Amino acid sequence: MRDYVGRPFKLLEIGVGGESADPGGASLKLWAEVFPLARVHGLDIYDKSALDSDRIRTFVVDQGDPLALDRFMKRHGPFDIIIDDGSHRRSDQLTSLFNLITGVVAGGYYILEDYFTSYWPVYDGSTLAKDFLDTPVRWLKQAIDIINRNNLLSQEMKALIPDWEIEALHVYPGVAFLKKGAGPNRSELPRGDFVENQLQLDELRYGGCKAWFLDHARDPMNYLALLHNLRQALDDEIAGLQGDGKRES
Ligand SMILES: C[S@@+](CC[C@H](N)C(=O)[O-])C[C@H]1O[C@@H](n2cnc3c(N)ncnc32)[C@H](O)[C@@H]1O
């Protein structure tokens, strides 16, 4: 990030901050100071125009509204750096990620602040259901699949992994960076009949559960519903057996 200091670039931060009389903008001011050639943009659901200056501009945009994000990006994008420090609710974070990551230039960064709210119910996250809920943490884990998208074998699975052209993932406590590559990532798949053989082997081993795996990749909560139904069926069966036992005695 150090090399951004001496060059002009565009930064967008979701979440300006500040409550009631305090207009906030601590981070926007910090970026403008640390990066003297940057043009700094801030999005918030509240009007923060009191902070606007020659290098800082604020906009009223709800980060959970895909149409508003699209309109904003068409007028002001793309950006070199996008930082999400907004509501920290998983649906808002994911709406912003899915709609804005393609608006980050090659070599730029999409940054998730305080992504650990994925574990906390007050932000619609969960610790217990962490492997089933669709959260920023789940997508940070999936970023490894995205980086390796061109090494995946199954075209059906690959179609469920977005082509965001991410080349690197840096995860620290409280902040994660997705770095955009300069183009599609390389494929390491050997030539010849390797792919066909590997596809067959994968199908042979795991093809029986393919529908489940694809369902889970589409919506991890499906799997939770499946477990719930299985549990319900077992409970009903046990209750039925206990009922039979009572009648017999
Ligand atoms: C944690 S504060 C941002 C702090 C600021 N980045 C800083 O470090 O100084 C979160 C901000 O997100 C804004 N916010 C909440 N929900 C939002 C939404 N749906 N869309 C855009 N901004 C939102 C709040 O109004 C608040 O100003």
Side-chain angles (χ1 to χ4, degrees):
M1 305 284 296
R2 230 171 253 259
D3 48 326
Y4 282 97
V5 174
R7 67 175 169 94
F9 73 98
K10 281 167 69 187
L11 182 149
L12 168 66
E13 180 163 24
I14 305 166
V16 174
E19 280 169 30
S20 53
D22 171 15
S27 54
L28 296 187
K29 289 178 192 161
L30 178 73
W31 306 136
E33 197 180 314
V34 172
F35 303 114
L37 300 179
R39 278 191 286 146
V40 177
H41 302 66
L43 298 189
D44 208 284
I45 34 169
Y46 300 111
D47 179 8
K48 301 285 177 182
S49 56
L51 297 164
D52 288 4
S53 66
D54 56 334
R55 286 186 32 243
I56 296 178
R57 283 187 72 191
T58 61
F59 303 84
V60 179
V61 174
D62 179 347
Q63 73 167 131
D65 179 347
L67 293 179
L69 292 174
D70 187 51
R71 266 196 307 273
F72 173 80
M73 285 306 273
K74 279 192 176 118
R75 288 197 67 183
H76 303 283
F79 290 92
D80 298 81
I81 296 177
I82 297 182
I83 303 166
D84 182 356
D85 189 25
S87 77
H88 296 114
R89 301 186 86 83
R90 66 188 173 94
S91 64
D92 287 342
Q93 291 166 309
L94 293 181
T95 301
S96 297
L97 176 65
F98 295 159
N99 286 280
L100 300 183
I101 190 125
T102 48
V104 177
V105 302
Y109 292 88
Y110 191 97
I111 303 170
L112 280 153
E113 282 224 24
D114 299 342
Y115 62 82
F116 48 74
T117 53
S118 293
Y119 300 120
W120 298 349
V122 68
Y123 291 101
D124 299 336
S126 171
T127 298
L128 292 179
K130 69 182 176 56
D131 293 328
F132 297 97
L133 279 187
D134 211 12
T135 63
V137 165
R138 174 173 178 258
W139 281 92
L140 288 173
K141 292 175 184 171
Q142 290 225 114
I144 297 172
D145 295 340
I146 298 174
I147 291 167
N148 279 288
R149 198 172 176 278
N150 289 334
N151 291 318
L152 297 180
L153 300 166
S154 155
Q155 293 301 315
E156 286 159 288
M157 192 56 90
K158 189 173 170 176
L160 299 173
I161 307 293
D163 191 5
W164 288 341
E165 297 183 348
I166 294 169
E167 71 170 19
L169 164 70
H170 305 274
V171 181
Y172 303 91
V175 62
F177 297 71
L178 295 166
K179 184 171 196 275
K180 290 291 292 276
N185 291 354
R186 273 204 348 237
S187 167
E188 308 293 338
L189 291 172
R191 289 170 192 278
D193 50 12
F194 177 86
V195 171
E196 200 48 45
N197 289 341
Q198 292 297 294
L199 267 169
Q200 279 174 14
L201 197 55
D202 217 8
E203 283 282 341
L204 212 60
R205 284 184 181 157
Y206 301 111
C209 300
K210 188 170 164 179
W212 282 15
F213 294 146
L214 290 171
D215 265 4
H216 181 63
R218 256 181 233 112
D219 176 2
M221 291 303 274
N222 278 332
Y223 202 60
L224 204 58
L226 194 88
L227 286 176
H228 178 77
N229 292 344
L230 205 64
R231 172 77 199 261
Q232 192 63 52
L234 283 172
D235 283 352
D236 291 349
E237 201 176 316
I238 290 166
L241 287 173
Q242 284 171 341
D244 287 350
K246 272 190 197 135
R247 271 194 296 279
E248 276 166 19
S249 59

